[in-house]
Amino acid sequence: MRRRDGAAFAYVGAVDPNEPGHYPVCPLLRFTSLYCPGCGGLRSAHAVAHGDLVTALGANALAVAGYAVCAVLMVVWLVHAVRGRPTRIALAPAWWWAIGAPTALFTVIRNLPFGSFLAP
């Protein structure tokens, strides 16, 4: 997460995505009525920025997990920067599968009738 990523998160915290007209509509949702893994992510980020974890989880639980991972990575980077060590985070292919498979499963389940609790 770079400085501009933090600025983008702060912008989403300041400009409510629940108000129409501030952000574009997800093209997948617009044209197919299917939720992508990121649908509800802006509403989730807005709720996290305002300290409302329950609303954030309801909007997009996967995104909340992603925010937590980014926060941990920022702390790791900061500790390494203070100690003067370079930070290199390289993931083996097994880790990419471990990230991609649950993301795909989350996407499929949130679009099925019994998974509607995962829909934003």
Side-chain angles (χ1 to χ4, degrees), residues 1-109:
M1 188 179 209
R2 295 178 294 256
R3 185 179 307 151
R4 67 175 172 243
D5 297 333
F9 198 87
Y11 179 80
V12 171
V15 179
D16 190 357
N18 295 303
E19 298 290 325
H22 293 291
Y23 301 98
V25 177
C26 172
L28 183 69
L29 180 62
R30 183 175 193 169
F31 295 118
T32 67
S33 298
L34 295 172
Y35 296 115
C36 75
C39 281
L42 288 175
R43 290 186 294 274
S44 177
H46 182 77
V48 167
H50 289 271
D52 189 357
L53 190 59
V54 173
T55 300
L57 288 168
N60 190 325
L62 186 65
V64 174
Y67 307 147
V69 168
C70 283
V72 168
L73 291 174
M74 284 297 297
V75 169
V76 168
W77 172 82
L78 181 61
V79 168
H80 284 191
V82 167
R83 292 181 179 172
R85 290 189 282 172
T87 304
R88 177 169 155 72
I89 299 173
L91 297 177
W95 281 103
W96 289 111
W97 282 102
I99 294 167
T103 301
L105 188 62
F106 173 79
T107 304
V108 170
I109 291 174

